[in-house]
Amino acid sequence: MSNEALPVVLDIFARRILAKAELTQQQEVFQEQYTTVAPITPLGTKAPLRLFIINHDADPTEVPNTDYGSAVKCVKLCKRILDEDPSNTIICTQKSKVIIDFELILIVEYEDNTFDVLTLPRNLSSRLHYSAGTTKAFVESTVIDAAGAPVVQHQNVSQPYEALVIRSTGVNAYTNFEYTVNIPISSFSTVLRKCELDDPSLQSYILLRNLDYEVDVLDPFQVFINADNTQSIWTTEVEFSLYEDIIDKLGIDQDVRILGTPEYVCTDDCSCP
């Protein structure tokens, strides 16, 4: 008699991918554009995040301020730190909500050939909350307002809608960026059936790849750091954007039955005495 195992129906428990959406080079670091004439209103479109990086050896000085320091020459991304794995929620079988929490480590080179490490958003401030021990760069009041509170940035003109906000525990205590994108289920590669959308095991799996960034170093900029504009510090305006591919896979837990031969089959044969 042959000892080979006979083909049997194998019941395999697996996570089956039903559909996926790919967002190619999605801009994750941005600020919302506003109108340039009164009344100032948000437009719901993206622009690069504008940083006003303090020049090397520049100090807060009474106006007129000629303590220019050394301007920024170049900015490079050293590392993006994910505070936790990207999270995802299926919202009422209508959209897949992806949230990415992260910090950025930048290397800043100045014209006098010195370097510094800039951690975002930890080293950011509004112009009215300069702190010598913390502040290395300022952002506009549409990103962190005059009271030191972060403002949510939106892209709500075209699908998928996005938002970016700086999380904080108080003024000048900014912990991380939180980027959110809502991907409509209708934009996935396959139209899901109602029974699949209603499956209690339906989940989303997020893959991130091809991280990239753009930097544009602009001109020196004088930032006034008190309400009556009598004190200032010299900075360099820098535009920064971060891009990444986001792949969102929708899947369910499912039993898959196939006809096959197991590689190993245990037996009750025993030659033990």
Side-chain angles (χ1 to χ4, degrees), residues 195-213:
C195 61
E196 293 170 331
L197 289 171
D198 292 337
D199 192 305
S201 69
L202 180 66
Q203 296 181 51
S204 173
Y205 314 95
I206 307 301
L207 299 176
L208 305 177
R209 67 185 184 193
N210 296 333
L211 185 69
D212 200 2
Y213 68 100

Side-chain angles (χ1 to χ4, degrees), residues 131-189:
S131 171
T134 301
T135 308
K136 294 185 178 182
F138 301 95
V139 289
E140 294 181 331
S141 60
T142 57
V143 178
I144 300 176
D145 66 19
V151 180
V152 180
Q153 311 298 299
H154 297 94
Q155 187 290 114
N156 52 19
V157 172
S158 60
Q159 294 278 12
Y161 295 153
E162 303 161 85
L164 179 71
V165 68
I166 295 171
R167 291 300 178 192
S168 74
T169 57
V171 176
N172 284 357
Y174 307 116
T175 56
N176 60 273
F177 292 103
E178 182 180 279
Y179 170 79
T180 303
V181 58
N182 292 289
I183 308 173
I185 296 297
S186 59
S187 67
F188 279 73
S189 59

Side-chain angles (χ1 to χ4, degrees), residues 52 54 58-63 65 125-132 135 137-138 146 221-235:
F52 300 89
I54 297 174
D59 293 310
T61 305
E62 295 290 331
V63 175
N65 182 356
S125 293
S126 73
R127 74 176 186 91
L128 297 180
H129 292 92
Y130 170 78
S131 171
T135 308
F138 301 95
F221 191 91
Q222 184 176 198
V223 174
F224 295 94
I225 58 174
N226 59 354
D228 56 7
N229 294 343
T230 58
Q231 280 196 327
S232 70
I233 191 168
W234 280 95
T235 71

Side-chain angles (χ1 to χ4, degrees), residues 42-117:
L43 297 174
T45 54
K46 291 180 178 180
L49 178 64
R50 280 186 288 276
L51 303 171
F52 300 89
I53 301 176
I54 297 174
N55 292 348
H56 183 238
D57 280 341
D59 293 310
T61 305
E62 295 290 331
V63 175
N65 182 356
T66 58
D67 183 10
Y68 302 110
S70 181
V72 174
K73 179 180 179 181
C74 186
V75 177
K76 295 182 179 180
L77 176 65
C78 174
K79 188 175 184 179
R80 191 271 304 273
I81 301 173
L82 291 176
D83 291 343
E84 56 187 25
D85 291 337
S87 64
N88 180 270
T89 306
I90 305 298
I91 306 295
C92 200
T93 70
Q94 297 297 315
K95 58 187 176 182
S96 177
K97 182 179 181 180
V98 179
I99 298 177
I100 305 172
D101 293 331
F102 61 93
E103 302 170 63
L104 299 175
I105 309 297
L106 306 180
I107 302 298
V108 181
E109 180 182 2
Y110 298 93
E111 291 182 352
D112 61 359
N113 295 322
T114 58
F115 294 84
D116 196 9
V117 176

